[in-house]
Amino acid sequence: MTAFVLYARSRVLPATLAVLLGAALAAAWSAWWLQGQPGFDHAARVPVVVLAPLLTASAVGTSLYTHSDELDRTAVRPWWPRRLSHLLMLTALSTALLALAVPGHPDAFGAPAMVRNVLGATGVTAAAAALLGARLSWLPMTVYTSAVYLAAPSVPGGHAAIWAWTMQPGPQRAAWAVALAAFVLGVGLLAARGPRAERRGM
Amino acid sequence: MTAAPVLDDTAPAPTPARARTVRPLLSELRRGVGPWAGAALALTVSIAMYGKADYIDGWQSRWGEATSLLRTAGLLLGGPLAVAAGCWQGGRERRRGTGELWASTARTPLRRAAVAAAPAALWPALGHLLAATGCLLATWPYVSAGRPDLLLVLADAVALAALGTLGFVAGRVIPWRLTAPLLAAATYVVLGFPAYGNTPWQWLDPAMAHSYNWDKAVWWFAPASVVWTGGLAATAFLAYAARRRTLALPPLAAACAAAVLIGTGNGGQGPWRADTAAARLVCDDGTPQVCVTAVDSRLLPQVSAALADLNGALRGVPGAPVRWTDGPRPAGPDEASLPTPAFESLRGRLRDPGAYAHGAVQYLFSDSCEDQDYEHPGWARASEVNSAVIQWLAPSAAYEPVLTDRSRADLARLKTKSPAERRAYLARYLAADLCDAEEVPVP
């Protein structure tokens, strides 16, 4: 087997790819169903735009777990290019899949908001993997999403564009700035340090 | 050389059995994911409630609004967290590789599992109760009447404990890293989905929000909810951990019975009934009289003050309402409906008394017109007159910019009339059929 196949199997990448695809299909169906309900329109896609990136980021984060952390660190070649490629490829794939799941209305909760949330959620999750460990990397973004979901004001913009960036419509620049900063910092931290060493297990 | 131990007959007899029974549970409760889950849930609910405190009418005006939002925040946002934390707790022995060590102890699998599951069940419930206590204390100074339905709050806490237990069982059964976040997302979908329907069975969803309408839960709703959610969790837990799996059948039967009661009880109308004490009218002694419901009685002096000028203009005019009323009962023939004060207030204060009075006049002159009435060639002119009259009786700065030039001219003419002319015009206006454009009198 090639090194790539071995790496992919050790990081459960086939299962991760299946989750990304499943999440995109579920998001597309949910978005279509929600905006078709009586009395609802495209703005009803907010739960999809918030939850689907959380799910794909969780899948990407847990895929960073390694069963042989100490052995990996003895390797001659540097690991950061692999970690960076791993993160960027999965992020690009989930971004593309989820952007297709919410067609139309880019000024509200369409593809731009989805792309922003995928980038931000993946960044936060990658940072959590570096600091907490890959197995629990989904936790901070899950807690954050729960906390801001109801608390975010219905009117976009203002300070909420920063502290509730996941709940903003697509064009909000401050929300984009927060999400991009989270992505750059999280991916950079993960690439540089790798996921925090954990005890053996599932 | 060490000294041989000396037996002291006078020393109190040790109680090792009790110590062994209690300590593992306390250790489990103090350590691990439990306290963090409780803290995260309390924080999540508190942030959500704080964020909604200034939203439109807030939730601090009525106990019913506070407990309803607590339910949504606690279950819809806290439920996925409880499930994920329980799932993480359930997978602990597998991650640590201590499953065989635990299995070698003298305790039964059921007791071992119960001790391990205790933090997953108890801490989310405690976190919710802590946040709920804070929110209810923050509501107390501003409510007018009634008391909170604490049984419903407790039922919500039991539902969170049940979700934590279900997550624990899933974590024990499914050896996959993504189980916890996937279950959290699935929990959100399962709890949020029934909100889009309209059937009494949707009250099986513990996160279902209730829109307060001078009503309260039937007495059996909270106990039935506890049996429903607790029974489901007990079924899953016993089916997983008990040596005899038939033990899971009684809680399953109880959960099914509670589900049937919730779905079909109260004549299939859902578990809510009218609250006559909350809807009782509390009135001032003015003319026209101003009446609000008991649940908003604290706001009555401010409502009376907001309507004072308007009532001064209407007093003694033929056709004017005898009293303003609010509540679930439709207004009588000599009455006019008021905007519900709780919807226009925040923490015991009317947000904008002028806007409130303006809304009251709009209610007073609102008629259920037919579609063809709006197509009458004179309807645009009649609308301009209506706007001018409303702005004359209850001026609103927010409404001023939308007036047309002809409306402004009508308003100017109304303001220049003598008091007797104004009363005569108002009497003609009140007597007119406002859906008939030709009947609306131009000032």
Side-chain angles (χ1 to χ4, degrees), chain B residues 55 88 181 215 263:
Chain B
Y55 183 66
W88 184 255
D215 53 10

Side-chain angles (χ1 to χ4, degrees), chain A residues 12 19 33-34 37 40 47 51 55 58-59 62-63 65 67 135-136 138 142-143 146-147 149-151 154 200-202, chain B residues 40 44 47-48 51-52 55 69 72-73 77 81 84 88 94-96 175-178 180-182 184-185 188 193 196:
Chain A
V12 290
V19 170
W33 185 84
L34 281 171
Q37 294 305 296
F40 290 89
L51 279 182
L55 196 56
S58 300
T62 51
S63 76
Y65 179 73
H67 290 269
R135 290 186 302 197
L136 207 52
W138 49 269
T142 304
V143 174
S146 293
Y149 190 79
L150 276 186
S154 54
R200 190 181 62 81
M202 74 176 187
Chain B
T44 297
I47 290 175
K52 287 287 182 192
Y55 183 66
L69 192 58
T72 304
L77 306 182
L81 289 182
W88 184 255
R94 189 167 47 248
R95 288 194 304 275
R96 293 180 177 174
W176 192 27
R177 270 174 252 164
L178 262 178
L182 274 179
Y188 181 84
F193 178 76
Y196 294 94

Side-chain angles (χ1 to χ4, degrees), chain B residues 15 65 91 121 124 126 182 208 270 284 305 315 353 394:
Chain B
T15 55
E65 305 278 2
L126 281 174
L182 274 179
M208 188 68 200
D284 68 5
R315 196 171 298 132

Side-chain angles (χ1 to χ4, degrees), chain B residues 23-36 89 92 96 119 123:
Chain B
R23 277 180 186 162
L25 180 60
L26 288 181
S27 297
E28 286 281 13
L29 288 175
R30 277 202 298 260
R31 297 170 185 171
V33 74
W36 292 104
Q89 175 81 352
R92 184 184 62 180
R96 293 180 177 174
W123 275 109

Side-chain angles (χ1 to χ4, degrees), chain B residues 7-386:
Chain B
L7 293 177
D8 180 5
D9 291 342
T10 62
T15 55
R18 176 172 173 74
R20 277 199 299 269
T21 305
V22 172
R23 277 180 186 162
L25 180 60
L26 288 181
S27 297
E28 286 281 13
L29 288 175
R30 277 202 298 260
R31 297 170 185 171
V33 74
W36 292 104
L41 206 137
L43 192 66
T44 297
V45 174
S46 300
I47 290 175
M49 297 297 283
Y50 178 77
K52 287 287 182 192
D54 289 348
Y55 183 66
I56 304 181
D57 55 325
W59 43 267
Q60 290 164 281
S61 303
R62 297 168 168 181
W63 291 120
E65 305 278 2
T67 52
S68 177
L69 192 58
L70 267 174
R71 181 182 172 88
T72 304
L75 269 298
L76 197 62
L77 306 182
L81 289 182
V83 167
C87 190
W88 184 255
Q89 175 81 352
R92 184 184 62 180
E93 311 327 330
R94 189 167 47 248
R95 288 194 304 275
R96 293 180 177 174
T98 52
E100 290 184 4
L101 183 65
W102 271 94
S104 68
T105 61
R107 295 168 188 278
T108 64
L110 183 60
R111 285 186 68 187
R112 288 201 306 267
V115 169
L122 294 181
W123 275 109
L126 281 174
H128 179 68
L129 287 177
L130 181 68
T133 303
C135 291
L136 293 179
L137 286 174
T139 306
W140 198 357
Y142 307 111
V143 291
S144 302
R147 57 186 176 184
D149 194 338
L150 295 179
L151 279 180
L152 272 185
V153 177
L154 281 176
D156 297 343
V158 170
L160 282 168
L163 287 170
T165 307
L166 289 171
F168 176 85
V169 174
R172 279 284 171 100
V173 173
I174 308 171
W176 192 27
R177 270 174 252 164
L178 262 178
T179 307
L182 274 179
L183 276 182
T187 303
Y188 181 84
V189 173
V190 168
L191 293 179
F193 178 76
Y196 294 94
N198 186 21
T199 154
W201 294 97
Q202 67 191 1
W203 297 106
L204 293 177
D205 175 7
M208 188 68 200
H210 173 60
S211 182
Y212 180 78
N213 188 28
W214 293 278
D215 53 10
K216 60 181 179 183
V218 292
W219 69 268
W220 47 259
F221 181 46
S225 293
V226 167
V227 174
W228 161 240
T229 55
L232 280 185
T235 300
F237 184 76
L238 290 172
Y240 161 71
R243 193 182 303 274
R244 284 188 297 174
R245 297 192 171 174
T246 50
L247 278 177
L249 291 178
L252 179 62
C256 290
V260 171
L261 178 62
I262 292 170
T264 61
N266 201 26
Q269 300 298 307
W272 306 95
R273 65 180 178 85
D275 185 355
T276 51
R280 179 177 58 86
L281 289 180
V282 178
C283 305
D284 68 5
D285 52 2
T287 305
Q289 202 175 27
V290 178
C291 300
V292 299
T293 54
V295 78
D296 296 330
S297 57
R298 189 190 183 92
L299 294 167
L300 178 60
Q302 295 177 58
V303 172
S304 297
L307 299 181
D309 291 344
L310 171 61
N311 281 349
L314 291 173
R315 196 171 298 132
V317 174
V322 174
R323 67 175 183 171
W324 301 91
T325 66
D326 183 31
R329 185 182 64 91
D334 292 332
E335 297 174 344
S337 294
L338 270 180
T340 299
F343 296 163
E344 309 286 338
S345 68
L346 187 66
R347 287 189 279 281
R349 290 257 165 226
L350 273 185
R351 281 178 183 269
D352 184 347
Y356 182 80
H358 194 85
V361 182
Q362 286 186 317
Y363 272 38
L364 175 64
F365 296 143
S366 67
D367 273 334
S368 300
C369 303
E370 303 290 335
D371 286 347
Q372 62 264 28
D373 296 328
Y374 302 114
E375 293 165 5
H376 190 282
W379 182 258
R381 179 69 188 117
S383 295
E384 289 171 337
V385 173
N386 291 337

